[in-house]
Amino acid sequence: MDQAEATEKIVAALKKKAKTKSKFYFNDLAKILDEKPRAAKKFINAMVIDEVLEYWSSGSTSMYGLKGAGKQSAGEGED
Amino acid sequence: MAKFETPFLDQLETGPWPSFVSDLKQEAESRAKNERNIEYQIPQDCCDDLLGVVELSYKHGRTHWKHGGIVGVFGYGGGVIGRYCDQPEMFPGVAAFHTMRVNQPSGKFYTTKFLEDLCELWERRGSGLTNMHGATGDIIFLGTTTEQLEEVFWELGHNLNQDIGGSGSNLRTPSCCIGQARCEYACFDTQDICHDLTNEYQDELHRPAFPYKFKFKFDGCPNCCVASIARSDLSFIGTWRDDIRIDQKAVKAYIGGEFPPNAGAHAGRDWGPFDIQKEVIDLCPTKCMRYEDGKLEVNTPECTRCMHCINVMPRALRVGNDKGASLLVGAKAPILDGAQMATLLVPFIKIESPYTEIKETVIEPIWDWWMEEGKNRERLGELIKREGFQKVLEVTGFKADPRMIKEPRSNPYVFWKEDEVPGGFKRDINEFRKFHQR
Ligand code: HEM
Ligand code: HEM
Ligand code: SF4
Ligand code: SF4
């Protein structure tokens, strides 16, 4: 798999779930790519540098999302 | 004049200990006066607003902070912890009040100039409030706006030659005890390995790909000044293999009252004359010492290197000469599951630069396993509990050792696998029946 293919896979999968979910664990992304974590990490890092993905962090846990997707603090059925 | 009345917080100041409330008030006042004409890049009254929102939290009995967010510096997945106030109209000075973790120097040695530079930067671009140091060991910069994050990062990197630390699901800033720089108990150079691994694993520190946080801590001896055994996923604890070095003349000097025990640390009250039997020998956890005919002896194979005797009589007893470390895995604080102490994995290993053996046979195989098998938000210690200690031995290649077992069932319990047993698990039933009836 090359970078373009990996990006395409991730973007497609994340867009499909966008209605219900905007933040994903690293492992979820590795599963979408069907790669071992170390190999997946290279692709996913490149997607962050290319500003396709962005990090989200609670301080103790990190997640990834499509850039700009989901609000800073999603409403709880309010909007 | 304080911006808000803070009766609840004022009460906190009345206790016997120094109070963070007094510190906040001091900084609020100093910012209001601005005697050094600092060009504040975030609201000058942010510390007043912080006092206000904390006071309100006491009044309401609930927090007014939101946790987390999409803040950070470009390309880094850690080092910044987003904090937003949920009453931004009332407290605009802390509407965004993010924490930055700054990688502390190994062993926490500072020059005065470096400390002044850090404080100057943070007064100008942040709240001026710091926490030296956080639970991870980092220098904690408490409170700045989103716009200032890249600015602080740029100045740290370009002017102070200083990186930010770890947060989130990645390698946390490694931390070490003061070690050989000042402590004669240190069995390896804690600062050197801490610095080396921090540089080696920059990618793991800044780009989160772990199931959850991962911590290394380095203690030069079993006194465990950075509490590695309780607070890190991989703890390095200095130890030695040969005998404790005993200076019999100095032992006598302690008994004769010439040297104060514990280097005088318990001098606050009169404990009577030093009693080596009561205060040292009877307190040895493995009862492996004796004092007879004016001679102190230690039965080394029984000694667990608890450090008690050495701490009491540091001028008479010294750690051995054949030094290295024990490596333990899986400690954690009680967030998801209960608190857990670390379990011994490597009874003894020499700690020598460039640490290749440690990287290749311990750290990296463990990470590969945990990254693949670990569930989201599962610490290494929890994975070990779930899949068994045997899996750790399998992925690292270390052999099971009685020293790894504290007690059966509650702690690693190692089973044989069929290919490890001569002849496997199948037996010749006819041969068996020759000796045993049905
Ligand atoms: C009721 C309110 C709060 C709760 C329940 C809370 C809870 C927590 C917890 C559970 C952690 C540990 C996270 C981990 O490492 O896994 C943590 C860490 C932290 N929190 Fe909070 N927090 C609160 C308010 C705040 C506020 C108001 C601030 C800053 C203005 C703050 C700043 C931090 C920082 C800097 C750390 C990391 C400390 C370190 O590095 O040692 N927290 N908090
Ligand atoms: C050198 C001799 C022996 C050693 C090292 C030994 C060791 C052990 C160990 C480590 C366990 C597991 C304990 C646990 O998981 O809670 C165990 C269980 C057990 N042992 Fe032994 N044992 C020895 C001799 C014996 C003898 C002679 C008997 C009976 C005549 C015996 C009866 C049992 C029984 C019934 C259990 C099962 C307890 C249970 O799981 O409820 N053992 N043994
Ligand atoms: S852990 Fe041991 S070596 Fe390190 S500073 Fe403490 S007493 Fe000294
Ligand atoms: S270090 Fe601890 S176990 Fe070893 S001899 Fe001294 S008191 Fe006993």
Side-chain angles (χ1 to χ4, degrees), chain A residues 21 23-28 30-31 35-42 44-51 53-64 66-73, chain B residues 66-71 73-78 80-84 101 167-170 172 203-204 206-213 363-364 367-368 370-377:
Chain A
K21 214 173 162 188
K23 304 284 172 288
F24 298 80
Y25 286 110
F26 176 83
N27 270 351
D28 303 334
K31 268 183 214 127
E35 289 277 1
K36 295 213 169 210
R38 264 185 206 280
K41 186 176 179 184
K42 290 206 182 77
I44 292 165
N45 271 337
M47 290 177 221
V48 172
I49 300 296
D50 293 342
E51 302 192 51
L53 295 180
E54 67 189 351
Y55 296 116
W56 183 94
S57 174
S58 72
S60 73
T61 309
S62 308
M63 298 182 90
Y64 293 75
L66 287 172
K67 189 158 171 94
K71 286 200 178 168
Q72 150 53 30
S73 178
Chain B
K66 301 188 274 187
H67 253 77
I70 308 166
V71 288
V73 296
F74 187 69
Y76 275 30
V80 176
I81 300 155
R83 294 288 181 267
Y84 295 88
R101 287 206 174 125
S167 69
S169 305
N170 53 13
R172 299 305 182 83
D203 199 54
E204 281 68 20
H206 297 310
R207 282 166 272 279
F210 287 156
Y212 202 20
K213 64 182 101 169
I363 297 173
E364 287 161 24
W367 279 350
D368 281 339
W370 176 55
M371 285 170 79
E372 210 156 310
E373 299 284 321
K375 294 184 188 167
N376 295 326
R377 289 177 63 82

Side-chain angles (χ1 to χ4, degrees), chain B residues 27 31 38-42 46-47 80 97-102 115-132 139-145 148-149 151-153 155-156 160:
Chain B
E27 185 61 17
R31 286 177 79 94
I38 298 164
E39 288 184 34
Y40 293 120
Q41 301 298 306
I42 75 166
C46 63
C47 294
V80 176
F97 203 66
H98 313 311
T99 292
M100 294 187 84
R101 287 206 174 125
V102 179
L115 270 179
E116 278 175 353
D117 289 349
L118 285 172
C119 292
E120 187 280 325
L121 167 63
W122 193 242
E123 286 260 310
R124 188 162 36 84
R125 296 204 176 276
S127 69
L129 301 169
T130 64
N131 170 5
M132 306 285 272
I139 301 159
I140 308 283
F141 278 178
L142 281 164
T144 196
T145 58
Q148 288 302 312
L149 296 171
E151 307 287 344
V152 173
F153 179 55
E155 287 201 29
L156 279 172
L160 303 185

